[in-house]
Amino acid sequence: MALLELSGVTHTYDSANNSWWKSKQKLQGAVVKDISMTLEAAQIIGEPLDNFERLTNGEKDYRIGEALDIVGLPANAMNKLPRQFSGGQLQRINIARAMISRPSFIVLDEAVSSLDIANQVHIIDVLRDLKKQRDMSYVFITHNLKAAFALCDRWTVLDQGSLCGSFSTIAEMKVSREPAVKLLLDASLSGHPELGTIRKDRPFYVDAGQRKGAWA
């Protein structure tokens, strides 16, 4: 038995009867750093469907193929093992898994931290498109300030669990007196020379025609 407070309302959760909890879990997805290396892509992506929906095999395969298409992977990827994908492709599989149950928001935990700058740009491009197409909300957990600027509407800085500030513009961050915020800004590094020069006072943009992004 547990008490959960959501939107100011306290709900009782009984682990013996978890239908209410499952109904709430379906509303969210998660993109994390680790992925099972022993399962085929279809098994990884389709797991939320097994947990939250009752579909025929044909319906499930259709949804998996649809999710792969949305993140820019071919349908034949569903039968491959993780070791057969690049780092960027694995993150696309992770994103497909997170959004396949059509959640209203997704938690992304260091979703681009292990990728090179080119793949970071591509993954953020996918996430930005999904955000618009599906009207999703993201909780984007990262140490990569530039990635947060590219994807998020508002940024909250935590230091050892303490809130240092919440900002909606880079200008607001620059005038913060919090040491952690200043360190985070100062730690921003130059970007990939082929993708443009990263400057902390300029926004990120994506060239939809070339499917590549840059820091202006």
Side-chain angles (χ1 to χ4, degrees), residues 73-147:
L73 291 175
N76 62 8
M78 67 173 64
N79 297 320
K80 295 182 179 180
L81 292 169
R83 66 173 179 269
Q84 296 174 277
F85 296 104
S86 67
Q89 289 173 327
L90 284 176
Q91 282 301 72
R92 290 171 188 258
I93 288 172
N94 232 333
I95 293 168
R97 179 187 182 279
M99 50 75 62
I100 196 169
S101 61
R102 297 166 181 167
S104 56
F105 78 94
I106 294 178
V107 178
L108 300 114
D109 184 6
E110 300 288 0
V112 299
S113 63
S114 61
L115 305 178
D116 60 45
I117 187 67
N119 272 313
Q120 286 184 24
V121 169
H122 294 155
I123 293 301
I124 289 173
D125 188 8
V126 170
L127 292 170
R128 283 158 60 103
D129 287 345
L130 278 174
K131 185 179 176 183
K132 293 178 181 178
Q133 295 167 8
R134 297 289 182 97
D135 193 27
M136 288 180 176
S137 297
Y138 295 138
V139 176
F140 189 63
I141 304 168
T142 185
H143 290 83
N144 187 331
L145 190 58
K146 295 182 230 23

Side-chain angles (χ1 to χ4, degrees), residues 2-213:
L3 296 178
L4 303 176
E5 186 169 343
L6 301 174
S7 302
V9 179
T10 300
H11 301 270
T12 301
Y13 164 52
D14 184 352
S15 59
N17 182 9
N18 63 356
S19 59
W20 176 87
W21 179 239
K22 276 198 170 185
S23 71
K24 299 306 176 188
Q25 282 184 304
K26 187 178 183 297
L27 299 178
Q28 65 180 343
V31 176
V32 296
K33 290 182 290 184
D34 298 323
I35 192 170
S36 173
M37 301 302 289
T38 60
L39 300 178
E40 292 182 351
Q43 295 172 288
I44 295 168
I45 296 169
E47 182 183 5
L49 299 179
D50 295 333
N51 292 335
F52 304 122
E53 301 187 33
R54 297 190 177 188
L55 303 176
T56 65
N57 289 337
E59 290 170 334
K60 182 179 175 182
D61 286 345
Y62 175 82
R63 291 277 291 275
I64 293 171
E66 179 186 48
L68 285 169
D69 182 63
I70 288 172
V71 299
L73 291 175
N76 62 8
M78 67 173 64
N79 297 320
K80 295 182 179 180
L81 292 169
R83 66 173 179 269
Q84 296 174 277
F85 296 104
S86 67
Q89 289 173 327
L90 284 176
Q91 282 301 72
R92 290 171 188 258
I93 288 172
N94 232 333
I95 293 168
R97 179 187 182 279
M99 50 75 62
I100 196 169
S101 61
R102 297 166 181 167
S104 56
F105 78 94
I106 294 178
V107 178
L108 300 114
D109 184 6
E110 300 288 0
V112 299
S113 63
S114 61
L115 305 178
D116 60 45
I117 187 67
N119 272 313
Q120 286 184 24
V121 169
H122 294 155
I123 293 301
I124 289 173
D125 188 8
V126 170
L127 292 170
R128 283 158 60 103
D129 287 345
L130 278 174
K131 185 179 176 183
K132 293 178 181 178
Q133 295 167 8
R134 297 289 182 97
D135 193 27
M136 288 180 176
S137 297
Y138 295 138
V139 176
F140 189 63
I141 304 168
T142 185
H143 290 83
N144 187 331
L145 190 58
K146 295 182 230 23
F149 287 161
L151 185 62
C152 303
D153 300 313
R154 191 166 188 84
W155 319 296
T156 297
V157 179
L158 298 176
D159 181 26
Q160 297 185 11
S162 298
L163 178 65
C164 298
S166 188
F167 313 93
S168 55
T169 67
I170 298 175
E172 289 178 3
M173 292 191 76
K174 283 188 171 183
V175 298
S176 173
R177 296 182 179 180
E178 288 286 344
V181 176
K182 292 181 178 181
L183 285 172
L184 197 58
L185 285 169
D186 291 340
S188 298
L189 301 176
S190 298
H192 194 292
E194 293 183 3
L195 299 181
T197 300
I198 293 177
R199 289 174 53 185
K200 290 173 283 187
D201 58 340
R202 299 293 296 279
F204 179 94
Y205 68 88
V206 173
D207 184 334
Q210 298 183 18
R211 302 301 293 172
K212 97 177 169 179

